[in-house]
C-alpha cells in the first residue's frame, strides 16, 4: 500500500516512516486486505501481528484500519490510530461506524473515478475506430473511381501520408 496522505500531529513521522507498506510482509495488512470488516488493534505494543519495525519508528498504540473495496475487491485502506504517549484508545461503536461510512464514501468516489476513466478510454477507442472506418470508406470510394494503376498508387500514397506521415511512399 502506498501512502496517499496523512494528517494530524504525526503526519510527518507517518509520511517518513511508512510511505509504502508491503502487504505480504505485514500480518495486520494481510488480514485487513482479506477482510471486508474494519480491523481494530487496541494496543499494537501487545498485538503479535504488529510490525515491530513500524512500531519502533512510530510508537503505534491503537490502530484502526477500514478496508477500501472497489467492486468487492480490496484496493486500499483508510486508517487512523494513536501513537506514543497518546496511549491506547479503541474506538466507540459510533466512531467505528463513522470511519466505515467515510471509507464507503471513498470507495464510491474511487469507483466513480474508475468508471469515468474507463468510459473516456472507451470513447477514445470508438473515436479512433470511427476515424479508421471513415478513412477506409473514403479510400474505397477513391480507389473505385480510379482509372488505372497509377491513379490507385497515387491515392494509396496520399492516404498513407494522411494517416502515417508525409514521408510515405509506394513503390
Amino acid at each position: 500500500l502506498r501512502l496517499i496522505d496523512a494528517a494530524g500531529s504525526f503526519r510527518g513521522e507517518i509520511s517518513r516512516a511508512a510511505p509504502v507498506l508491503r502487504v505480504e510482509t505485514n500480518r495486520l495488512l494481510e488480514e485487513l486486505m482479506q477482510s471486508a470488516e474494519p480491523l481494530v488493534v487496541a494496543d499494537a505494543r501487545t498485538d503479535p501481528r504488529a510490525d515491530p519495525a513500524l512500531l519502533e519508528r512510530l510508537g503505534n498504540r491503537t490502530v484502526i484500519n477500514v478496508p477500501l473495496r472497489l467492486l468487492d475487491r480490496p484496493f486500499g485502506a483508510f486508517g487512523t490510530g494513536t501513537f506514543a504517549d497518546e496511549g491506547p484508545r479503541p474506538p466507540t461503536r459510533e466512531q467505528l461506524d463513522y470511519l466505515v461510512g467515510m471509507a464507503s464514501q471513498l470507495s464510491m468516489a474511487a469507483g466513480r473515478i474508475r468508471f469515468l476513466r474507463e468510459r473516456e478510454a472507451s470513447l477514445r477507442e470508438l473515436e479512433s475506430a470511427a476515424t479508421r472506418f471513415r478513412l477506409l470508406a473514403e479510400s474505397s470510394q477513391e480507389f473505385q473511381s480510379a482509372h488505372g494503376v497509377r491513379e490507385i498508387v497515387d491515392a494509396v500514397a496520399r492516404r498513407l501520408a494522411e494517416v502515417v506521415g508525409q514521408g510515405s511512399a509506394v513503390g
Side-chain angles (χ1 to χ4, degrees):
L1 296 174
R2 186 172 310 281
L3 180 67
I4 295 172
D5 199 3
S9 59
F10 282 82
R11 179 182 193 165
E13 288 87 348
I14 294 169
S15 297
R16 283 188 295 281
V20 176
L21 295 171
R22 299 191 59 79
V23 173
E24 63 276 0
T25 60
N26 186 312
R27 289 174 36 200
L28 282 173
L29 289 177
E30 278 186 274
E31 186 177 324
L32 174 70
M33 297 308 286
Q34 293 172 2
S35 175
E37 299 298 318
L39 179 67
V40 177
V41 175
D43 191 348
R45 290 181 182 176
T46 61
D47 193 299
R49 299 169 299 174
D51 179 343
L54 196 56
L55 185 58
E56 176 69 28
R57 288 188 299 223
L58 293 174
N60 297 83
R61 294 305 301 262
T62 298
V63 177
I64 308 159
N65 282 313
V66 182
L68 298 174
R69 303 185 74 74
L70 184 59
L71 302 175
D72 205 35
R73 290 185 9 221
F75 78 94
F78 175 73
T80 189
T82 61
F83 300 90
D85 296 335
E86 293 179 292
R89 216 173 349 158
T92 65
R93 181 77 240 160
E94 293 79 19
Q95 290 169 330
L96 196 55
D97 288 345
Y98 178 75
L99 291 173
V100 168
M102 289 180 72
S104 176
Q105 293 295 317
L106 285 169
S107 293
M108 287 184 353
R112 220 172 299 131
I113 290 167
R114 182 177 180 183
F115 168 77
L116 291 173
R117 285 184 178 163
E118 288 174 355
R119 189 176 84 179
E120 287 172 4
S122 294
L123 288 174
R124 282 192 300 275
E125 286 178 31
L126 284 174
E127 288 171 357
S128 177
T131 299
R132 288 192 307 270
F133 180 76
R134 181 185 54 76
L135 288 172
L136 283 172
E138 289 172 2
S139 298
S140 177
Q141 253 183 341
E142 193 172 348
F143 298 158
Q144 286 177 1
S145 65
H147 298 299
V149 173
R150 184 74 187 153
E151 285 182 32
I152 291 174
V153 170
D154 286 344
V156 167
R158 270 194 317 278
R159 289 295 171 175
L160 282 172
E162 288 173 15
V163 174
V164 179
Q166 293 301 317
S168 299
V170 177

